[in-house]
Amino acid sequence: MFEATTRKTRLFTSESVTEGHPDKIADQISDAVLDEVLRQDPTGRVACETLVTTGLTLLAGEITTTARLDYVPLVRKTLADIGYTDASFGFDSASSSVIVALDRQSADIALGVDTGGAGDQGMMFGYACNETEHLMPLPITLAHALTRKLSEVRRGGLDWLRPDGKSQVTVEYEGSKPLRVHTVVVSTQHSPDISQEDIHSQILAAVVRPALGDRIDDRTLIHINPTGRFVTGGPQGDCGLTGRKIIVDTYGGVGRHGGGAFSGKDATKVDRSASYMARYLAKNLVAAGLADRVEVQLAYAIGVAEPVSLHVDSFGTGTVSDRRLEEVLADAFDLTPKGIIEHLDLRQPIFRKTAAFGHFGRPEFTWEGTQQADELATAANAA
């Protein structure tokens, strides 16, 4: 039965999925292709889409590069790395058919990109808040913690686990302050030989409690495999497509989303690079103490280098006006695609590891740095 909150509190929920979820398989294959292009040709242009379904992996899209790729072994290696190495899992790296239907980028698009313009029109958002150490919303942070732990224990000893899985975390807030974890959901693909009682007890002990610690209490509702059975999973259970988990990739539904997916796209595609830059801007503003939470929007026209707009919303938490924050960011950063690529070093083959467990809140990525926070604080507070 749903437990209502008081009139002074609210609930917010975010989800995550494991690297073996069908959509995340597709994302990782697309980004594995991108990384291999960048290893050989750092200026290669990639827009690679992947579909996975029972017994089949399909690559489509546009790639313009001097690199030479052997796609079938690349796909099979990615599937094996994820954990699909046994036909009994419903999908097998060694036996899945691979179809490649890739073409070159449109010459019409290249006219604008070759001169330094954006690879497409669109608006991109970045968000940061002071709820967690890495300035991310708490619900998505905890949801990712659960799927990471689920993947870790699958690889580390719980051999009845299979690669596909999901988590969901509901956090109770008072205003903008997180109070407690209200509800946890974990669903994991499993072998047919284990009982539901063992699944529940082992996931609770090996995944939920270690991942969430004292954030759960006696009132926290915990659902583990609530359908009662999850044997058929992965691409056999659900067709997977690149770019279908964009909210998992970003902030778990907190803030807005421009709609563009990330995986399989090189950094001339502002869907990806400008979203990373918007996160970098928002995170540095919060790290600078200029706001408790911030959303930054960038927008571009295809073939045009400079953004057509820069918008900051501090939701009333800013120490200076949002207009002043916009002025500071515009003065401090080159927000052209070329400027973003250089600032964040986005021609490196680092993208496959972004394709599972979220693109943000992970300090190994350049867009998560806060090294310009002091500079922004000084500029914003200058007379």
Side-chain angles (χ1 to χ4, degrees), residues 29-49:
I29 291 171
S30 292
D31 274 337
V33 170
L34 171 61
D35 279 358
E36 187 54 35
V37 169
L38 293 176
R39 282 188 189 95
Q40 300 181 44
D41 176 15
T43 61
R45 305 262 175 80
V46 178
C48 179
E49 311 290 344

Side-chain angles (χ1 to χ4, degrees), residues 6 23 88 94 124 126 132 157 184 197 239 263 268 280 330 346 355 360:
T6 71
D23 296 327
S88 68
M124 299 83 206
T132 62
V184 174
E197 292 77 12
C239 176
S263 289
T268 66
Y280 181 79
L346 296 180
F360 304 120

Side-chain angles (χ1 to χ4, degrees), residues 88-346:
S88 68
F89 298 175
F91 198 69
D92 181 15
S93 60
S95 60
S96 171
S97 297
V98 179
I99 298 176
V100 179
L102 291 161
D103 204 347
R104 290 179 62 84
Q105 183 187 56
S106 163
D108 295 340
I109 294 175
L111 286 173
V113 180
D114 288 345
T115 58
D120 202 352
Q121 72 175 46
M123 67 285 190
M124 299 83 206
F125 291 92
Y127 182 86
C129 62
N130 59 10
E131 290 180 23
T132 62
E133 175 188 3
H134 298 301
L135 305 185
M136 285 286 288
L138 183 60
I140 189 66
T141 298
L142 298 181
H144 285 323
L146 286 167
T147 52
R148 280 185 177 277
K149 180 58 72 172
L150 191 59
S151 176
E152 177 186 320
V153 300
R154 171 174 65 88
R155 296 174 184 274
L158 291 188
D159 58 4
W160 54 267
L161 284 170
R162 300 294 180 258
D164 196 358
K166 293 183 174 184
S167 71
Q168 188 170 281
V169 175
T170 302
V171 173
E172 184 175 351
Y173 286 81
E174 184 173 21
S176 60
K177 179 183 178 182
L179 298 178
R180 55 182 292 271
V181 173
H182 181 279
T183 303
V184 174
V185 182
V186 177
S187 296
T188 181
Q189 186 186 11
H190 57 85
S191 89
D193 303 321
I194 186 167
S195 70
Q196 293 303 310
E197 292 77 12
D198 286 343
I199 291 172
H200 189 282
S201 63
Q202 292 184 44
I203 292 299
L204 182 63
V207 177
V208 177
R209 295 196 184 282
L212 302 187
D214 60 7
R215 290 195 179 273
I216 57 176
D217 57 37
D218 291 342
R219 293 187 295 148
T220 301
L221 304 175
I222 299 175
H223 302 285
I224 297 172
N225 278 26
T227 64
R229 182 177 169 86
F230 188 179
V231 172
T232 302
Q236 183 183 30
D238 188 15
C239 176
L241 296 169
T242 299
R244 206 161 56 177
K245 283 290 175 285
I246 57 177
I247 300 303
V248 172
D249 285 343
T250 53
Y251 309 101
V254 177
R256 285 166 279 226
H257 196 292
F262 301 157
S263 289
K265 298 177 182 178
D266 74 89
T268 66
K269 280 73 172 175
V270 285
D271 276 341
R272 183 169 218 158
S273 55
S275 294
Y276 291 171
M277 192 64 182
R279 162 64 176 173
Y280 181 79
L281 301 180
K283 188 172 183 180
N284 274 269
L285 290 176
V286 174
L290 293 169
D292 292 336
R293 57 191 180 108
V294 170
E295 183 179 75
V296 174
Q297 185 201 52
L298 296 169
Y300 292 83
I302 188 169
V304 178
E306 295 288 343
V308 299
S309 68
L310 163 65
H311 175 74
V312 173
D313 187 350
S314 65
F315 307 97
T317 70
T319 61
V320 298
S321 71
D322 292 347
R323 177 59 181 157
R324 178 60 181 152
L325 295 177
E326 292 168 1
E327 292 171 348
V328 167
L329 295 179
D331 288 342
F333 297 97
D334 178 354
L335 298 176
T336 65
K338 180 176 183 292
I340 292 171
I341 289 168
E342 291 178 352
H343 192 95
L344 299 180
D345 197 18
L346 296 180

Side-chain angles (χ1 to χ4, degrees), residues 5-68:
T5 62
T6 71
R7 296 182 67 180
K8 293 182 179 180
T9 62
R10 62 184 177 89
L11 301 177
F12 193 87
T13 302
S14 295
E15 72 161 344
S16 178
V17 298
T18 66
E19 75 269 48
H21 184 280
D23 296 327
K24 281 286 134 197
I25 298 171
D27 285 344
Q28 289 166 92
I29 291 171
S30 292
D31 274 337
V33 170
L34 171 61
D35 279 358
E36 187 54 35
V37 169
L38 293 176
R39 282 188 189 95
Q40 300 181 44
D41 176 15
T43 61
R45 305 262 175 80
V46 178
C48 179
E49 311 290 344
T50 302
L51 176 149
V52 290
T53 188
T54 305
L56 174 65
T57 301
L58 170 65
L59 302 183
E62 301 79 41
I63 297 180
T64 301
T65 181
T66 59
R68 294 181 176 273

